[in-house]
Amino acid sequence: DLTVPDSLTLHADQLELNGQLTSGQDLILRSTNPVISNAQINSGRNFWIEDFNGNLGTLLSFGGSRIRSLGDVNFGNYQGAS
């Protein structure tokens, strides 16, 4: 689990998330590949997934990721449970 009081950006070629990820402000996941998540994602502001060029990215969730955000949620494509 990871909790930060301010904004959080995770930047990697491949992101695979499990457990709980919480930010008090914006939460950005930046990856060249689809982000794989079975995590509980909590954002105190906006949440988005993007590639390294700033284009909206893809979220893959095969175990049921849960997203809670007090602001906007943006990603390009989604594949997984609803």
Side-chain angles (χ1 to χ4, degrees), residues 37-38 60-65 80-81:
S37 175
N38 294 310
L60 303 177
S61 177
F62 302 109
S65 200

Side-chain angles (χ1 to χ4, degrees), residues 24-35:
Q25 298 291 322
D26 290 336
L27 198 159
I28 305 163
L29 303 178
R30 187 175 295 136
S31 180
T32 56
N33 295 296
V35 173

Side-chain angles (χ1 to χ4, degrees), residues 9-82:
T9 300
L10 296 179
H11 181 104
D13 286 332
Q14 181 67 49
L15 288 172
E16 294 187 29
L17 307 173
N18 290 295
Q20 186 167 318
L21 186 61
T22 302
S23 73
Q25 298 291 322
D26 290 336
L27 198 159
I28 305 163
L29 303 178
R30 187 175 295 136
S31 180
T32 56
N33 295 296
V35 173
I36 299 169
S37 175
N38 294 310
Q40 295 180 26
I41 298 170
N42 304 295
S43 173
R45 204 172 194 179
N46 300 311
F47 166 72
W48 69 94
I49 298 173
E50 63 182 27
D51 64 19
F52 289 171
N53 295 318
N55 302 308
L56 292 176
T58 298
L59 175 63
L60 303 177
S61 177
F62 302 109
S65 200
R66 185 175 69 188
I67 300 169
R68 290 184 179 176
S69 178
L70 296 180
D72 295 333
V73 174
N74 289 293
F75 46 85
N77 295 302
Y78 172 77
Q79 182 179 356
S82 59

